Amino acid sequence: AGTMAMVTVNLRAVTSWVGIARLFAIVLSCIAFSLVASTRDFEGPYGTWCMFTWCFCFAVTLLVLVLELLELYPKLPLSWDDFTSAFSMLAALMVFTTSVVFPSTFISSPCSSSKCARQAVATTASCLCFLAYALEVGLTRAKPGDISSFLSTVPGLLKVFEAYVACLIFSLLDAYSSEAGLQWCVAVYSICFIVTLLIIIFTIGRCLTYMPCPLEKMLVGYNALALVMYITATVIWPLYSFRGKSRPDPCGRNCWWNKCLGVTFLTIFNLIAYSVDLVYSTKMVFIRAP
């Protein structure tokens, strides 16, 4: 009874703009996976990924909302603001990818059957769900000069983006050869992913206070090194992947050429992300907001 008496209800968890965005995300992700489940047409790795994304985002967002509604989150051994900021960014990226992958994989033209209509509505719900998570990211982003919650700052959000793009790269790396240049690129992707993921985990787990050097200065050094490594990968990967090879005809969904091209573009995306990350982390160290 004493424990029950300590539980309070915080209605701002569902009436604030962030709470409303989370409610929309819960409803829309539920609509998406329910409609797709009713079609019974989500086989293969792409369908499994899409269903996992909607179900995972639905479950975690619902958990976040309940913990904030009952004010139970302070009892958790983690930095709540960092966790929710990282998750909303991750969810936005996952749902965006799913909103592109699902219709391009499962919706055929012309779309006239009832199954196709349900898939189209699910795609629309997924796109709106992405907007809900993007709104949450915008609402919870830290003000300039505020570094109390690192993962809600621009460098922190970029860390989540960089780790996610690296995961997408890994999903396409089933066709690289034993050439030294391509092995170097895989090493670049792996090293940067592991270090970035550790930064995210240590931040959420409040372990950064045990670091022997200040976080801001460490980030500047790491971002500079990662940027240089990604510059080499941006040059070497397409050079070794496409040298002396032409695009096969036909080139289907699992064609090696398409996968290598995807890795090339994703490498460029991460190169841009690490460049912006270096600029912002340098400003955090050397340019203090008044």
Side-chain angles (χ1 to χ4, degrees), residues 1 23 66 80 111 126 141 242 246 270:
L23 284 172
V66 170
W80 184 251
C111 184
S126 184
R141 191 170 69 86
F242 301 112
S246 58
N270 249 2

Side-chain angles (χ1 to χ4, degrees), residues 158 161-162 227 267-278:
L158 284 170
F161 177 85
E162 292 153 6
L227 178 61
T267 303
I268 295 171
F269 290 159
N270 249 2
L271 173 66
I272 296 171
Y274 277 109
S275 302
V276 177
D277 199 350
L278 178 61

Side-chain angles (χ1 to χ4, degrees), residues 193-204:
F193 169 73
I194 291 171
V195 176
T196 301
L197 186 63
L198 287 175
I199 292 172
I200 295 171
I201 293 173
F202 286 172
T203 302
I204 294 175

Side-chain angles (χ1 to χ4, degrees), residues 22 26 57-67 87 133:
R22 288 172 180 163
I26 290 171
C57 294
F58 167 81
V60 177
T61 307
L62 182 62
L63 179 63
V64 167
L65 207 60
V66 170
L67 289 174
F87 169 72
Y133 281 118

